[in-house]
Amino acid sequence: MEYTSIFDSHAHYDDAKFDEDRDELISSLPSKGIIGVINCGADLKSSAQSVKLSEKYDYIYAAVGVHPHEAKNFGDDTLNELRRLAANKKVVAIGEIGLDYYYDFSPREKQIEVFEKQLILAAELNLPVIIHNRDAHEDTLNILKKHRPKGVLHCFSGSAETAREIVKLGMFIGLGGAVTFKNAKKPLEVAATVPDEFLLIETDAPYMAPVPFRGKRCDSAMIPYTAEKIAEVRNTTAQEILNLTAENAKRLFGID
């Protein structure tokens, strides 16, 4: 079946895995029903690349930010450079920012410091945030309660209970290919219970490809497989999920 109104709320088309065919692939997306993609930065270099991609393609929008893995490299000038990049009209969010206690590539204190600095920047610029949280649910939630940003927890990996706490803050839940995985008990519980107005759909391309593509390079054209799984547990159709999440993405990111 052909689907329309696909809005991928989180991708990384600047990733080296797309070097061989980036332009060809991105150019093909509208013919596959994709109407929008948020390309997310992870450091200053990828944030600048995200902005360049957004300038080249109407349907790509950029988020700029420093991922917790890169927090250790966050210097005095980093915030000013993010502020400069965010002045571009195609930049619709600060992200991907947050905490990652699974890999701990940056010291936790530094991760928290950099996360909070970027939340303050987002508030200053009146932009939503795109948040990465891995094995850091308690600290993430406490920081979000303190700063009260608008935004989304992408690739949400917490429980349905944690999702409820996030939604109480007025934040969105981003779900991707993990809902199709064989052991996807928690993501499916979340998918079944998030209120309509707080649900987003994403790929995290080139990562997190849904079944039957698991382990392969992911791209936005694979979103229908995720939408079908979410539709199953919400007792609706995949197209309804795509319509809903596209409208939600436009609302959150201020896209007409």
Side-chain angles (χ1 to χ4, degrees), residues 169-225:
L169 296 172
M171 296 192 72
F172 290 69
I173 301 290
L175 295 176
V179 299
T180 69
F181 297 172
K182 198 167 62 179
N183 56 351
K185 186 168 180 282
K186 272 205 302 188
L188 284 176
E189 284 173 0
V190 172
T193 55
V194 175
D196 281 356
E197 63 269 33
F198 293 106
L199 181 65
L200 292 181
I201 202 164
E202 62 168 81
T203 55
D204 203 18
Y207 312 105
M208 301 296 287
V211 173
F213 304 104
R214 193 169 182 188
K216 294 187 167 65
R217 185 185 75 174
C218 186
D219 68 64
S220 304
M222 296 178 185
I223 277 189
Y225 292 89

Side-chain angles (χ1 to χ4, degrees), residues 157-169:
S157 59
S159 64
E161 289 73 29
T162 304
R164 275 194 281 278
E165 292 293 312
I166 297 300
V167 166
K168 272 187 207 163
L169 296 172

Side-chain angles (χ1 to χ4, degrees), residues 98-113:
L99 303 175
D100 193 309
Y101 293 174
Y102 180 80
Y103 285 110
D104 277 328
F105 287 162
S106 293
R108 293 185 180 185
E109 300 76 24
K110 184 70 173 175
Q111 289 187 45
I112 290 169
E113 176 203 328

Side-chain angles (χ1 to χ4, degrees), residues 21 85 92-93 165 205 230:
D21 61 348
L85 286 168
V92 296
E165 292 293 312
I230 293 171

Side-chain angles (χ1 to χ4, degrees), residues 2-236:
E2 287 188 11
Y3 292 105
T4 58
S5 297
I6 298 169
F7 199 115
D8 185 351
S9 64
H10 196 110
H12 298 277
Y13 283 113
D14 56 283
D15 191 279
K17 289 187 173 69
F18 294 109
D19 283 354
E20 281 184 19
D21 61 348
R22 181 176 292 107
D23 288 330
E24 185 186 350
L25 173 64
I26 294 174
S27 299
S28 74
L29 294 178
S31 68
K32 296 167 183 172
I34 289 99
I35 60 167
V37 176
I38 309 291
N39 202 83
C40 301
D43 55 19
L44 288 180
K45 184 183 174 190
S46 60
S47 293
Q49 288 171 324
S50 288
V51 173
K52 278 188 180 162
L53 282 172
S54 75
E55 289 175 330
K56 189 169 183 180
Y57 299 97
D58 288 349
Y59 42 93
I60 291 189
Y61 302 86
V64 299
V66 175
H67 189 286
H69 289 346
E70 305 299 327
K72 58 186 178 291
N73 302 316
F74 197 99
D76 294 340
D77 297 334
T78 309
L79 212 56
N80 288 332
E81 183 59 17
L82 287 174
R83 190 181 283 109
R84 188 189 69 77
L85 286 168
N88 188 294
K89 66 181 190 302
K90 288 297 290 288
V91 174
V92 296
I94 299 297
E96 163 180 2
I97 67 176
L99 303 175
D100 193 309
Y101 293 174
Y102 180 80
Y103 285 110
D104 277 328
F105 287 162
S106 293
R108 293 185 180 185
E109 300 76 24
K110 184 70 173 175
Q111 289 187 45
I112 290 169
E113 176 203 328
V114 169
F115 185 19
E116 294 206 86
K117 280 181 175 175
Q118 293 182 97
L119 287 171
I120 291 165
L121 176 67
E124 175 199 318
L125 300 176
N126 194 29
L127 286 173
V129 290
I130 295 172
I131 291 174
H132 173 102
N133 161 34
R134 188 158 188 194
D135 288 5
H137 301 314
E138 187 179 353
D139 282 357
T140 298
L141 197 53
N142 288 338
I143 290 167
L144 293 178
K145 283 177 177 173
K146 176 181 169 185
H147 289 273
R148 298 278 172 154
K150 55 185 178 178
V152 56
L153 269 86
H154 110 90
C155 211
F156 187 78
S157 59
S159 64
E161 289 73 29
T162 304
R164 275 194 281 278
E165 292 293 312
I166 297 300
V167 166
K168 272 187 207 163
L169 296 172
M171 296 192 72
F172 290 69
I173 301 290
L175 295 176
V179 299
T180 69
F181 297 172
K182 198 167 62 179
N183 56 351
K185 186 168 180 282
K186 272 205 302 188
L188 284 176
E189 284 173 0
V190 172
T193 55
V194 175
D196 281 356
E197 63 269 33
F198 293 106
L199 181 65
L200 292 181
I201 202 164
E202 62 168 81
T203 55
D204 203 18
Y207 312 105
M208 301 296 287
V211 173
F213 304 104
R214 193 169 182 188
K216 294 187 167 65
R217 185 185 75 174
C218 186
D219 68 64
S220 304
M222 296 178 185
I223 277 189
Y225 292 89
T226 300
E228 285 168 1
K229 197 70 188 175
I230 293 171
E232 261 179 50
V233 297
R234 292 176 80 89
N235 198 25
T236 184

